[in-house]
Amino acid sequence: MDIPRIFNISESAHRIHNPLTPEKLATLGAALRLEPGARVLDLGSGSGEMLCTWARDHGITGIGIDMSQLFTEQAKRRAVELGVGGQVTFIHGDAAGFVSDDKVDVAACIGATWIGAGVAGTIELLARSLHPGGIILIGEPYWRQLPPTDEVARQCLAGSISDFLMLPALLASFGALGYDVVEMVLADQDSWDRYEAAKWLTLRRWLDANPGDELAEEVRARLRSEPVRHAAYTREYLGWGVFALMSRV
């Protein structure tokens, strides 16, 4: 079980596998007013930066599940590096359908809502692990400005314009599911750059070291196309944010 190899290559040097900077991740942790001992579940936990830094800074405990064996091993090493190995646990596995045996105070899926076949299904899944009165965190793209055509949307790595909403509509959609939006931290163009541009040096160094690999041609093609694509499309059209939700029931 693993994610496609190209992602393990391109994001192998990333600590955060979405367009949040360390500063924005810290802002999110502070905004949630986390109490020492709070339990956090992270589905699609990547290299574990959220759980590890929040364990260090706020004294939370947590569990993360991710399909990437590489990222899971990086998360375990990060926990040791920050001295929080006794507070957080990382599991290499499929987060789809995962429900915690013990209820948690925060249940998160930051940028991997495919695990629940979309936002609504992922919220429903996370809610099954949550204490009453707990917080759900959803990381999701939205349109900063509406693409003029589906082809432009595809250049933003969407299937079509209808894949994402504008920010007001996305916030309203959470309300339609029965949740109050109680906080949000949004990516900006600079944090998009830090997520996307950091891949390019990783790809180039990997390509230099592995010129005969079966993925070398694909990596070379990405190095040629991705900087221009990002600057022309993702950076201009696509927003991204983490949204904190509490049930109205």
Side-chain angles (χ1 to χ4, degrees):
M1 177 185 297
D2 212 328
I3 62 175
R5 186 171 170 232
I6 188 64
F7 297 111
N8 276 327
I9 293 170
S10 65
E11 298 191 25
S12 60
H14 282 52
R15 282 185 173 168
I16 302 172
H17 300 275
N18 56 61
L20 285 189
T21 60
E23 294 78 15
K24 286 182 179 289
L25 190 61
T27 295
L28 177 62
L32 296 177
R33 307 171 197 174
L34 296 166
E35 297 288 341
R39 288 180 51 83
V40 180
L41 172 67
D42 189 8
L43 301 185
S45 50
S47 296
E49 192 72 359
M50 184 178 82
L51 288 181
C52 289
T53 56
W54 288 3
R56 177 196 63 193
D57 297 340
H58 303 286
I60 63 100
T61 64
I63 183 170
I65 302 94
D66 199 272
M67 287 184 67
S68 170
Q69 185 169 354
L70 171 65
F71 298 164
T72 303
E73 291 304 314
Q74 289 176 337
K76 292 176 181 178
R77 291 196 295 270
R78 184 64 167 154
V80 172
E81 178 185 342
L82 296 186
V84 296
Q87 295 169 245
V88 292
T89 300
F90 294 100
I91 299 171
H92 173 227
D94 188 355
F98 183 90
V99 177
S100 176
D101 291 334
D102 300 312
K103 298 296 184 183
V104 300
D105 302 291
V106 178
C109 180
I110 310 299
T113 55
W114 52 265
I115 68 170
V119 171
T122 301
I123 289 174
E124 183 179 1
L125 172 62
L126 293 171
R128 294 166 60 190
S129 296
L130 199 65
H131 278 304
I135 291 175
I136 286 175
L137 296 180
I138 290 287
E140 186 69 6
Y142 60 88
W143 295 121
R144 293 182 65 242
Q145 54 177 317
L146 204 63
T149 66
D150 279 338
E151 176 55 31
V152 172
R154 284 189 286 271
Q155 291 292 334
C156 298
L157 306 184
S160 67
I161 295 172
S162 62
D163 278 5
F164 306 133
L165 301 170
M166 297 290 285
L167 181 58
L170 178 59
L171 296 175
S173 75
F174 296 133
L177 293 172
Y179 287 83
D180 290 321
V181 180
V182 297
E183 256 294 359
M184 68 180 187
V185 174
L186 304 181
D188 54 25
Q189 288 178 310
D190 179 65
S191 50
W192 265 116
D193 292 345
R194 299 306 350 113
Y195 174 55
E196 292 291 344
K199 299 175 186 178
W200 309 335
L201 180 58
T202 301
L203 289 172
R204 175 54 193 268
R205 287 185 168 164
W206 181 91
L207 186 62
D208 289 346
N210 300 275
D213 191 274
E214 62 182 4
L215 283 184
E217 185 175 343
E218 179 180 349
V219 169
R220 167 51 62 193
R222 289 190 179 219
L223 275 172
R224 290 193 184 105
S225 64
E226 283 300 286
V228 173
R229 186 202 62 77
H230 168 63
Y233 297 105
T234 305
R235 199 174 194 275
E236 296 303 315
Y237 288 96
L238 197 60
W240 195 88
V242 180
F243 305 92
L245 314 175
M246 295 182 69
S247 175
R248 291 175 178 168
V249 178

